[in-house]
Amino acid sequence: MRTIKALLLSVITILSLAGTASAANFDSAGNKFDMAGDVIADKSVQGDYVAFGQTVKLEAGVTGDIIAGGRSIVITDDNAVQNIFAMGQTVTVRAKSARNIYGAGSDVTISAGTEAKGVYLAGASLNFGGTATDLYMAGTTVTVDGSILNDAVIRSDHITFGRNATVGGHVTIYATVKPELPPTIDASKVTFQRVMHRNNENASNAVRGISRMAVIMGILAIVTDVLLAIFLTLFRGGYFKQRAVEFKKRWGKTLLFGLIALIVIPVAALICMVTIVAIPLSIIVLIVYGIVLYLAPAVTGIVLGRLLLPRLNRYLSSSLGAAAIKILLFVPYVRVLLYLACALYTLGITVFWLRPRRENNTDDPKPRIA
């Protein structure tokens, strides 16, 4: 559940940044793409509708699929829709007819009057009041007050069935406590699978001490970063020494360029994915973007090691710097800010490295210093 929440928060954050950073509107072959701080659609679309923003309100007839992401999403459609994909902090859907509905977020509601063949919801607080052929819900709190024609699968620690809840097929429930069933649901068609939590004593022992596996994984993480530092120093030792020499003069500008790159690169990649021709390029950019973020602690450690320990062997200074950064990333209240600083710095020097240069550029006079 923690992994799902972290993933949802990451996606929501990127989408929110996308909405505030730029505004775009494209129409192609009957399809429509909107990206802005507030997206309000009140005109019919003959194809698919894709919308990203802080607030997304779709009140128009869409004959194709609806793909929406943002902080607050409200989808209202009195016509037939193909598929609805919605992810946000708050998601509310009321569609007269839809093939499938996929919703994820902190608070997801499928309102009464919504009819769909399949409804698949995940998040913190989930509410279903429509009509579905099949239903799957996984969340912290789940409320079912609609009609399921066939089967339903529910995973939650807090499940509530309303007075209007009906299930024509079989109900499978995964929870710690068996929920109270209304008279409208036949108990013989319900399968309850109890989910047991960890023993409190074992949990308290894990909190008091550090497990052997955690220590082993931590050592492996440090060794991995040290090996990366040695490998990068072997092939680009002069480059990192030059970055260490100019660190005091450029660190502020480097972090600024890194912040711009952190926001602009995913936004630009999402925009490029609208066109089929640019999809491969967007995927490559996102892969490189992820690799740079992964290498950020090791790269920053190399530069700081060469800066603070200039008289040591370059491999030793780089290794010590990378190991120090990795150890500090284990500190609970430091890891977030430190990793963000490493990411911004590494993205910043990458932008400087990729920028166009004149042939006799004196900005990097000794790129091959060992």
Side-chain angles (χ1 to χ4, degrees):
M1 184 63 69
R2 291 181 179 177
T3 303
I4 295 175
K5 289 182 180 179
L7 179 61
L8 291 176
L9 289 174
S10 300
V11 175
I12 292 169
T13 302
I14 292 175
L15 294 178
S16 300
L17 290 173
T20 57
S22 60
N25 189 309
F26 301 100
D27 294 282
S28 175
N31 304 317
K32 189 172 183 180
F33 177 89
D34 268 343
M35 177 181 289
D38 295 321
V39 177
I40 300 177
D42 54 2
K43 296 182 180 179
S44 60
V45 177
Q46 298 302 317
D48 300 335
Y49 200 112
V50 181
F52 294 129
Q54 287 192 0
T55 302
V56 178
K57 293 184 179 180
L58 305 183
E59 302 175 349
V62 179
T63 59
D65 296 338
I66 294 177
I67 302 174
R71 182 174 301 172
S72 176
I73 300 173
V74 178
I75 298 175
T76 304
D77 204 311
D78 295 328
N79 299 316
V81 181
Q82 292 297 314
N83 298 299
I84 297 176
F85 304 87
M87 178 178 291
Q89 183 175 347
T90 302
V91 177
T92 303
V93 177
R94 186 185 67 79
K96 180 179 179 181
S97 176
R99 178 182 296 174
N100 296 301
I101 298 176
Y102 303 88
S106 177
D107 188 349
V108 182
T109 300
I110 307 299
S111 304
T114 302
E115 296 184 4
K117 292 184 178 180
V119 176
Y120 310 90
L121 307 177
S125 177
L126 308 178
N127 299 274
F128 176 76
T131 301
T133 303
D134 294 294
L135 175 69
Y136 181 90
M137 303 175 72
T140 306
T141 302
V142 170
T143 301
V144 179
D145 196 25
S147 300
I148 300 96
L149 304 181
N150 287 340
D151 301 331
V153 178
I154 302 174
R155 297 174 180 268
S156 177
D157 289 338
H158 303 282
I159 302 174
T160 302
F161 290 96
R163 295 180 300 174
N164 300 321
T166 60
V167 180
H170 194 84
V171 182
T172 304
I173 297 175
Y174 299 89
T176 55
V177 180
K178 188 174 182 179
E180 183 178 352
L181 300 176
T184 53
I185 297 179
D186 187 357
S188 63
K189 296 183 179 180
V190 177
T191 299
F192 175 70
Q193 298 287 338
R194 188 180 301 276
V195 178
M196 301 300 295
H197 289 300
R198 292 181 178 178
N199 186 276
N200 292 333
E201 183 179 354
N202 294 335
S204 60
N205 291 335
V207 173
R208 286 195 298 266
I210 301 175
S211 66
R212 182 180 302 176
M213 181 58 67
V215 174
I216 294 174
M217 295 304 296
I219 294 174
L220 289 176
I222 295 173
V223 172
T224 301
D225 268 30
V226 170
L227 292 176
L228 285 173
I230 295 174
F231 180 81
L232 293 173
T233 304
L234 176 63
F235 287 94
R236 297 292 294 173
Y239 174 80
F240 290 115
K241 183 176 182 179
Q242 188 65 30
R243 301 290 77 77
V245 170
E246 65 185 17
F247 181 85
K248 295 181 180 180
K249 297 180 180 179
R250 279 193 173 182
W251 68 269
K253 187 176 181 181
T254 302
L255 292 179
L256 177 60
F257 275 83
L259 178 61
I260 296 173
L262 183 69
I263 299 174
V264 172
I265 290 177
V267 173
L270 288 174
I271 295 176
C272 291
M273 282 187 179
V274 178
T275 60
I276 298 177
V277 177
I279 289 179
L281 178 60
S282 299
I283 294 175
I284 294 174
V285 170
L286 290 176
I287 292 175
V288 175
Y289 180 75
I291 293 174
V292 171
L293 293 180
Y294 174 76
L295 295 176
V299 171
T300 307
I302 294 172
V303 175
L304 292 179
R306 301 294 294 271
L307 173 65
L308 300 177
L309 304 170
R311 296 184 179 181
L312 284 182
N313 178 274
R314 58 176 179 172
Y315 297 106
L316 182 58
S317 61
S318 299
S319 300
L320 291 175
I325 293 293
K326 195 63 178 181
I327 292 173
L328 289 175
L329 287 175
F330 292 142
V331 181
Y333 297 102
V334 177
R335 66 178 68 179
V336 176
L337 293 177
L338 180 59
Y339 181 80
L340 179 61
C342 293
L344 296 182
Y345 178 75
T346 306
L347 286 171
I349 63 175
T350 303
V351 171
F352 279 117
W353 180 62
L354 293 175
R355 77 189 190 281
R357 296 181 176 87
R358 291 174 296 184
E359 290 189 6
N360 295 325
N361 188 9
T362 58
D363 188 44
D364 194 4
K366 298 180 181 179
R368 298 185 177 274
I369 296 178

